[in-house]
Amino acid sequence: MFEFRKKAEKGAGPAVSVQTRPAGPRAALPLGAGERELYRALRRAVPVIDAAIYKLRRLIGEFRVECPDPQAQKELEEFLAGVQVNAAGAGVHEFLGIYLEELITYGSAVGEMVLSGGQVAALYNAGLQNLELEEDGALGVKVSVLDREGRRACPYPELLLVSALNPEAGSPWGVSLLRGLPGVSDVLLKIYRTLGVNWERMGNVRFAVTCRADGSGGAEERARQMAEEWKAAMGSREPRDFIAVGDVAIQAIGANGQVMESEAPVRQMLEQIVAKLGLPPFLLGLSWSSTERMSSQQADVLTSELEAYRRVLAPVARKICRTWLALAGYPAQCRVVWDEITMQDEVDHANARYLTARARKLERELEEDSARTAG
């Protein structure tokens, strides 16, 4: 093992540059670029969607690795905790968090292991806006980079990490979790924009001052004086009376208008969004019930959703670990173990453990009583 590691160090060259980064401006838009830009704009426009994706990223939890060799496991854990991620990140969990965001938002994610000195030195999240994915045979995916020189294939595909979320048959691209939400979100944003316009019209009160002429002449001059006095009264920081002579009527514009009720349609649109995102409403700040809390059924459903995301991320984590072990001269054997997902209160868990222990005690006492009776 030591001899293998010495050979790897002796033959190590300079760092391999990031192959999924374009050399300059991209030459053409890749397939599906317009749809992915729509999903990116959707996250910026609808806060509840952006918040849901961040919460899913944090709820996914962390994992640990188990290796047959204790020394290999120790060094691998140190690598996973401190590996550089992109330009300013560190740790494999940072890399997988960004990777999961890309998966949820666009349906696909591409990452890369960057080598230096014959070892994995960094992890890089590639931007899909610069990449083109296409089938490479029946079971392969070919990644090409679009830049000013045109399309070029990545020369080291074994260092790439590619995942697809719920891909359609025969397609290397996955399906975004946000598919189906642009139409619903468009209606929701129209309601919000209309509310803003209505409140701007009706909340910022405007007045109509009407002076009925009495036939004595000088109406134009009196109207000018009245306008100046009204402007001075409205512009004053101190309370100020407006005094006019003659038949003068003052009416607030829009004060009698009725703003359309928005709570029901807004909730209908948000229900569609929440149903697609798979999170309980109160986790997103939507208090539709005064006594709302996560039920055991909701916890089970959310746990199954998170487990599904973990099944997509697990092969990525295993490939990173096994590549590092192989380059370090260790057997490429490891096991990824995720932390337990706990959605219920600790009090509920404690009560469950207490009842289980009590039931076991009663069972033992019954068995002992039966044994004494039989004897």
Side-chain angles (χ1 to χ4, degrees):
M1 184 183 301
F2 178 78
E3 183 178 351
F4 176 87
R5 295 169 72 181
K6 291 297 265 185
K7 287 182 179 179
E9 293 171 2
K10 185 179 293 184
V16 176
S17 61
V18 180
Q19 53 187 329
T20 53
R21 184 177 179 84
R26 60 178 182 266
L29 290 176
L31 183 66
E35 184 178 4
R36 288 192 292 276
E37 183 60 34
L38 175 61
Y39 294 145
R40 189 179 297 111
L42 199 60
R43 287 188 60 177
R44 290 195 298 263
V46 185
V48 70
I49 295 177
D50 199 43
I53 294 176
Y54 279 123
K55 281 183 169 56
L56 287 172
R57 172 178 173 176
R58 284 157 179 75
L59 288 172
I60 201 68
E62 298 183 354
F63 67 88
R64 66 181 188 278
V65 291
E66 295 179 354
C67 300
D69 187 337
Q71 182 63 26
Q73 178 170 335
K74 179 181 178 182
E75 294 183 18
L76 178 57
E77 289 174 349
E78 293 176 355
F79 161 76
L80 295 176
V83 61
Q84 180 181 348
V85 175
N86 301 321
V92 70
H93 297 295
E94 174 73 11
F95 170 79
L96 290 180
I98 301 173
Y99 197 87
L100 179 62
E101 276 193 55
E102 295 280 299
L103 269 177
I104 294 174
T105 306
Y106 309 117
S108 300
V110 177
E112 183 180 348
M113 295 175 284
V114 183
L115 302 186
S116 178
Q119 293 290 330
V120 179
L123 299 174
Y124 177 72
N125 294 101
L128 294 177
Q129 66 272 17
N130 304 318
L131 303 179
E132 184 74 63
L133 303 184
E134 54 187 344
E135 296 182 28
D136 186 12
L139 301 176
V141 177
K142 181 180 179 182
V143 181
S144 301
V145 183
L146 302 178
D147 55 22
R148 61 186 178 187
E149 299 177 357
R151 175 187 296 189
R152 58 179 175 83
C154 294
Y156 306 103
E158 63 275 6
L159 297 179
L160 299 181
L161 305 161
V162 183
S163 299
L165 182 66
N166 303 322
E168 297 178 347
S171 172
W173 291 99
V175 177
S176 169
L177 184 66
L178 308 184
R179 188 172 72 172
L181 293 185
V184 175
S185 301
D186 183 50
V187 176
L188 180 65
L189 293 176
K190 283 180 180 178
I191 296 174
Y192 286 153
R193 283 194 295 268
T194 304
L195 282 174
V197 171
N198 286 338
W199 276 101
E200 185 175 357
R201 289 176 176 175
M202 307 180 71
N204 186 8
V205 184
R206 294 171 174 81
F207 297 92
V209 182
T210 305
C211 178
R212 295 177 179 84
D214 54 4
S216 59
E220 183 177 349
E221 179 62 21
R222 281 192 293 170
R224 185 186 61 78
Q225 293 177 355
M226 190 177 299
E228 292 176 354
E229 290 295 323
W230 179 258
K231 183 177 180 180
M234 296 303 295
S236 175
R237 294 182 178 271
E238 300 293 332
R240 181 172 175 176
D241 296 331
F242 172 71
I243 301 174
V245 179
D247 189 2
V248 179
I250 301 175
Q251 185 178 6
I253 299 175
N256 297 325
Q258 296 295 322
V259 179
M260 292 181 63
E261 192 272 334
S262 62
E263 183 176 355
V266 166
R267 176 166 176 172
Q268 289 176 2
M269 298 301 105
L270 289 176
E271 284 175 348
Q272 297 295 318
I273 294 175
V274 170
K276 195 71 167 64
L277 297 174
L279 287 174
F282 72 93
L283 288 182
L284 300 173
L286 303 173
S287 300
W288 290 336
S289 173
S290 58
T291 59
E292 190 169 5
R293 63 188 297 271
M294 185 178 291
S295 64
S296 58
Q297 292 81 6
Q298 285 178 318
D300 292 341
V301 171
L302 181 55
T303 300
S304 65
E305 291 281 341
L306 297 176
E307 291 286 356
Y309 291 130
R310 285 181 169 185
R311 286 193 292 271
V312 179
L313 294 178
V316 177
R318 278 196 299 270
K319 185 173 181 179
I320 294 172
C321 295
R322 290 174 178 173
T323 302
W324 184 90
L325 288 170
L327 293 175
Y330 292 109
Q333 299 176 6
C334 67
R335 181 165 167 259
V336 174
V337 181
W338 290 89
D339 295 340
E340 181 183 0
I341 299 175
T342 56
M343 294 297 172
Q344 297 297 327
D345 295 334
E346 290 299 324
V347 176
D348 295 338
H349 286 285
N351 288 334
R353 290 193 298 269
Y354 169 74
L355 294 175
T356 302
R358 186 175 180 182
R360 290 174 179 171
K361 180 181 178 182
L362 291 175
E363 290 173 357
R364 285 196 302 268
E365 292 176 353
L366 289 174
E367 290 176 357
E368 292 174 356
D369 292 342
S370 300
R372 283 196 298 267
T373 303

